[in-house]
Amino acid sequence: GGGPTPPVPHAGYAPTLGVVWDMVGDTALTFFVERISLERARPQVQAVWTTAERLGYGGVFRRAAPMRVVDDHVPLLDAGLPVVDVIDAHFPAHHSLQDDLGAVHPRSLQIVGDVATALVRSRGPGRGGGGGGRVPWVAGADAGADARAGER
C-alpha cells in the first residue's frame, strides 16, 4: 500500500507523540535516528531515544548516523501529527520469502514493547504528555514487524 491514510483532525484532538514501529523483530535489532523524524519531530525523537536509553537499550537505539527513510510516518507528519519512524532498515529478511515469523526474535519484540509501554506510561494523563483525560493507546504488531504506538 501507499501507507496510512492521515487522520481527519477533530476538535480538541491534540496528540503529543506517535511512533511507527517498523521492522522491529530482527535478531540483530538496531535503530538509528531517522532524519525526517528528527527534522520534523525532534522532541518526540528525543523522548523515544531517551526512554530507550533509560531502560538500558542504548545499544539498540543508537543516536549516531541519522538516516533518511521516506516511510509511513511522512503523511502523518504532513497532517501535522508529531510522529517518529523507528525502523531497523537493515532487516535482512525484508520483502523476501524469509520475512515471516521465523525472522522475528522474541527479545527484539520485548525491547520494543518495553520502550513503547514506558513511553505510553510516561505520557499518560497527569504526566504532562496527555493530560485532559485522554487515554494513551498501543496498537498491536503485525507478524513481520510493524507496530504503532501513540497517544490520543
Side-chain angles (χ1 to χ4, degrees), residues 107-124:
R107 179 69 181 141
S108 296
L109 297 180
Q110 183 68 56
I111 290 168
V112 170
D114 289 349
V115 175
T117 300
L119 282 166
V120 170
R121 287 186 175 150
S122 72
R123 302 177 74 82

Side-chain angles (χ1 to χ4, degrees), residues 61-76:
F61 286 76
R62 299 186 183 169
R63 292 181 184 263
M67 56 185 209
R68 186 174 193 275
V69 178
V70 178
D71 204 3
D72 296 339
H73 65 306
V74 174
L76 298 168

Side-chain angles (χ1 to χ4, degrees), residues 22-23 30-39 45 49 60 62-71 73-74 84-91:
D22 198 359
M23 297 192 295
T30 305
F31 299 120
F32 292 96
V33 173
E34 192 283 316
R35 187 174 306 280
I36 297 170
S37 299
L38 185 61
E39 291 169 355
V45 169
W49 260 254
V60 173
R62 299 186 183 169
R63 292 181 184 263
M67 56 185 209
R68 186 174 193 275
V69 178
V70 178
D71 204 3
H73 65 306
V74 174
V84 176
D85 191 23
V86 176
I87 183 170
D88 182 355
H90 307 307
F91 182 54

Side-chain angles (χ1 to χ4, degrees), residues 133-145:
R134 290 183 291 240
V135 178
W137 59 271
V138 176
D142 82 34

Side-chain angles (χ1 to χ4, degrees), residues 36-54:
I36 297 170
S37 299
L38 185 61
E39 291 169 355
R40 298 181 60 187
R42 182 177 294 269
Q44 290 75 17
V45 169
Q46 182 70 16
V48 172
W49 260 254
T50 299
T51 299
E53 291 163 350
R54 182 175 50 80

